[in-house]
Amino acid sequence: MIRVSEEVRAATAVVALETTLVAHGFPAGEGIRVGREAERRVREAGAVPATVGVLDGEIRVGLSEDELARFDPTARKTGPRDLAACAVRGETGATTVGGTLAVCRAAGIRVMGTGGLGGVHRGFAAHPDISADLFALASTQVVVVSSGVKSLLDVAATAELLETLGVPVLGYRADELPLFYRARGGPPVSARVESAAEAAALALAHWRLGGAGLLLARPPDDSLDDIEPLLGEGLAEAERRGVVGQGVTPFVLSFLHERSGGRTLRANRDLVVANAALAGDVATALSAAGSVE
Ligand code: PSU
Ligand code: MN
């Protein structure tokens, strides 16, 4: 059911990349450019990109340029629970972090790069909405490189749940979990690391101890410190218009892109590709450090 490209199969250092952000995280067309650039940065770091998605029911690991271009907004958002249905029905699905991790587990991939992990939504006490990304991360031996969690979440609650699930949160040259668009002000990380090699060593030790996923959180290079009020406005507007569930993230992201004059779009693009580069460094360091056993 899973087709791994020849290039990925032959590689020792591999970085998985998701397709939900390609299809739904950016304005149409832009996501594909971001996906390509992320792949380029992984290669520059000496690793092979393994972009994951479902094409006509086939779960694919490693895509050609033309295949990547098929992940437009018509692709179904595919979390861990959706993979089987997508495969059996022959559909085209853009995998979330959680969906991508489920494929990583099956394919033996140990590093993934993305923008923001899913987590606990604001107002979860009234409307429980907790991303399957967290449970996939807690059950997959993989390092996920991100700039923290999705900006519109309850970050403190997400950090607590990551602790509950036993997921180490490593701060890349940072003591706090980055807030996606903002570098500072988040909850403390569980360990700070100064290099990709140090992150790889920590991951190997965690896996030897029987642990599973780790989050390697890299702050954005350009911190948008004034973005929080706009984020609040976007969430309020979504609620006013009755946007719910899977529609909320794309709605709020495009609201932000529009109202910030493109600043959030640039920030989002920059952090996704920089995280891919760091993920490439971690994959290279892991393959140099040898096997898990
Ligand atoms: N962060 C973003 N844009 C996105 C996502 C995260 O800035 O598009 C996507 C990722 O694919 C992540 C998913 O895995 O949202 C989580 O969605 P949910 O909360 O529905 O599980
Ligand atoms: Mn959700």
Side-chain angles (χ1 to χ4, degrees):
M1 237 174 0
I2 300 183
R3 187 160 130 209
V4 182
S5 76
E6 253 170 64
E7 189 194 17
V8 170
R9 250 184 294 148
T12 49
V14 175
V15 173
L17 300 168
E18 56 151 313
T19 38
T20 290
L21 76 84
V22 171
H24 304 292
F26 289 91
E30 180 66 18
I32 290 155
R33 283 192 287 278
V34 173
R36 279 200 193 121
E37 183 63 10
E39 289 197 349
R40 198 183 66 72
R41 295 293 296 274
V42 168
R43 287 186 198 284
E44 228 174 54
V48 169
T51 302
V52 171
V54 189
L55 283 176
D56 309 316
E58 196 170 34
I59 299 170
R60 304 287 299 271
V61 179
L63 301 171
S64 70
E65 278 211 14
D66 289 347
E67 288 164 348
L68 181 64
R70 289 190 54 196
F71 291 92
D72 62 22
T74 64
R76 166 178 169 172
K77 181 173 169 183
T78 304
R81 68 167 189 180
D82 306 304
L83 277 169
C86 213
V88 168
R89 297 192 181 139
E91 291 176 355
T92 290
T95 51
T96 62
V97 173
T100 304
L101 290 179
V103 177
C104 285
R105 197 181 319 145
I109 297 173
R110 298 280 179 158
V111 185
M112 171 177 184
T114 188
L117 186 72
V120 182
H121 282 256
R122 297 182 194 187
F124 66 93
H127 307 282
D129 182 348
I130 299 175
S131 175
D133 288 0
L134 297 182
F135 306 95
L137 182 57
S139 57
T140 312
Q141 289 191 327
V142 67
V143 179
V144 172
V145 182
S146 77
S147 294
V149 300
K150 261 189 336 200
S151 56
L152 46 88
L153 301 178
D154 184 328
V155 180
T158 306
E160 289 292 344
L161 188 47
L162 284 166
E163 180 178 355
T164 302
L165 293 168
V167 175
V169 177
L170 312 181
Y172 183 71
R173 299 176 182 164
D175 297 310
E176 298 160 347
L177 182 63
L179 298 169
F180 199 77
Y181 298 118
R182 281 186 295 154
R184 302 292 309 276
V189 296
S190 63
R192 176 186 170 117
V193 296
E194 301 301 332
S195 67
E198 195 183 347
L202 233 147
L204 281 172
H206 186 60
W207 296 334
R208 284 189 185 115
L209 290 165
L214 303 92
L215 186 65
L216 175 58
R218 183 195 155 283
D221 294 308
D222 294 313
S223 185
L224 303 183
D225 293 329
D226 57 350
I227 210 68
E228 187 57 32
L230 207 54
L231 200 53
E233 276 179 47
L235 283 165
E237 184 65 14
E239 195 172 330
R240 211 176 55 79
R241 295 207 194 181
V243 181
V244 289
Q246 295 195 345
V248 175
T249 300
F251 178 88
V252 174
L253 290 183
S254 72
F255 180 94
L256 289 175
H257 293 162
E258 211 170 289
R259 294 294 210 81
S260 71
R263 283 162 69 226
T264 58
L265 177 63
R266 257 191 315 280
N268 201 344
R269 185 176 51 207
D270 291 352
L271 67 83
V272 167
V273 302
N275 292 344
L278 178 57
D281 290 337
V282 173
T284 310
L286 269 177
S287 80
S291 74
V292 182
E293 294 74 36

